[in-house]
Amino acid sequence: MKKTILMVICFLLLVTITTKETKAFYEDNELSQITKIAVQNNIQVNTWSMYIKEPIKQFTKMSDLDKAVAVYMETEKEFTWSKEQAEKGYYKIEGQKKSSKLGLKEEKVLITIYSQNNKYNLSITYDIKGKWNESKWPAIYNLYKQKIEDYSVFYTIQGTSNIDQSLYIEASKVMASFSGEEVQSLKEENFISLSAYTKRWENKLSIGNNEYMNLHIAYRATSQSTDQVDVTIGTPIITSEY
């Protein structure tokens, strides 16, 4: 009896520790931070995307690359694979999941093969999109947790907002919420795009002259007769059209 009680206590302790670790990592995740700040700035988040890029692998023999691709495709059994397609200077194979229990709009993986400097290069990227639902994000995060931890990840959210100030002022307010500093901008009558750097995240891209960016904010007016605008926020860059 005592042994059974001890086992139950150990199990509950393990579940508690795991849950706390998962919650802490989830709250520290860039997408979670972006959506929270978006809501704080009166932005209705509609959709999100996650772009995961594995490091490029190099092979000296095409036969070795073919074997690596075959093993990878066999491992990722949940994807339906297209036939190899030839483009200018490279080949690509696309995999897509037909359905998702988590309500994801799209789960794709792109395998790209190209030659460079007498080497054969293999690039693998994941493209995941969904309608924003905060309650489902922890489960989606856990599904891709290992890849998120191991590889480069780009997040983008898209939404709408009703504004009462200029596009630049509204975008600057969002940037300030991230404690970001503007490094580049594009200003048009109905569109503003800000590239910024924030110390919140280690992930960053060099833009030259010893400057970096890891936050991109875009506001676009949808109509001159309304105050509603489309808002897109990405880290470190926006990976979709805006």
Side-chain angles (χ1 to χ4, degrees), residues 17-107:
I17 293 173
T18 303
T19 302
K20 286 183 177 180
E21 288 180 349
T22 300
K23 184 178 180 182
F25 211 97
Y26 156 66
E27 291 178 347
D28 192 47
N29 177 258
E30 288 94 330
L31 182 59
S32 178
Q33 293 181 48
I34 291 174
T35 55
K36 283 182 172 64
I37 288 177
V39 171
Q40 291 169 9
N41 283 273
N42 193 35
I43 299 168
Q44 173 66 48
V45 180
N46 298 324
T47 60
W48 64 274
S49 62
M50 176 170 61
Y51 187 81
I52 305 173
K53 185 174 180 59
E54 294 189 13
I56 294 174
K57 298 180 178 66
Q58 289 191 325
F59 300 83
T60 55
K61 296 180 180 179
M62 191 66 180
S63 58
D64 291 336
L65 184 147
D66 288 338
K67 289 179 183 177
V69 171
V71 170
Y72 174 80
M73 292 172 66
E74 178 62 26
T75 302
E76 297 285 0
K77 293 182 178 180
E78 293 184 341
F79 288 91
T80 300
W81 298 98
S82 67
K83 292 183 179 180
E84 186 178 283
Q85 301 176 41
E87 301 287 345
K88 291 183 179 179
Y90 67 94
Y91 298 89
K92 68 177 184 179
I93 307 170
E94 186 175 287
Q96 188 161 356
K97 285 187 180 180
K98 290 185 176 180
S99 62
S100 172
K101 295 179 180 178
L102 298 173
L104 293 170
K105 291 173 63 178
E106 188 174 75
E107 286 182 89

Side-chain angles (χ1 to χ4, degrees), residues 158-170:
Q158 292 179 309
T160 57
S161 179
N162 291 307
I163 64 173
D164 53 16
Q165 300 185 82
S166 70
L167 296 177
Y168 181 75
I169 291 176
E170 294 288 346

Side-chain angles (χ1 to χ4, degrees), residues 165-226:
Q165 300 185 82
S166 70
L167 296 177
Y168 181 75
I169 291 176
E170 294 288 346
S172 296
K173 284 166 56 179
V174 174
M175 181 177 66
S177 297
F178 287 97
S179 300
E181 296 182 4
E182 182 181 326
V183 292
Q184 288 181 347
S185 65
L186 174 63
K187 303 173 185 177
E188 298 177 358
E189 183 179 359
N190 296 315
F191 175 73
I192 183 74
S193 172
L194 297 182
S195 297
Y197 175 73
T198 173
K199 293 181 180 178
R200 273 178 177 263
W201 307 310
E202 294 181 3
N203 196 14
K204 59 186 179 182
L205 296 177
S206 173
I207 58 173
N209 298 321
N210 203 31
E211 287 189 308
Y212 300 90
M213 67 164 286
N214 56 6
L215 175 64
H216 195 176
I217 302 165
Y219 271 64
R220 182 182 292 279
T222 57
S223 172
Q224 293 182 347
S225 61
T226 177

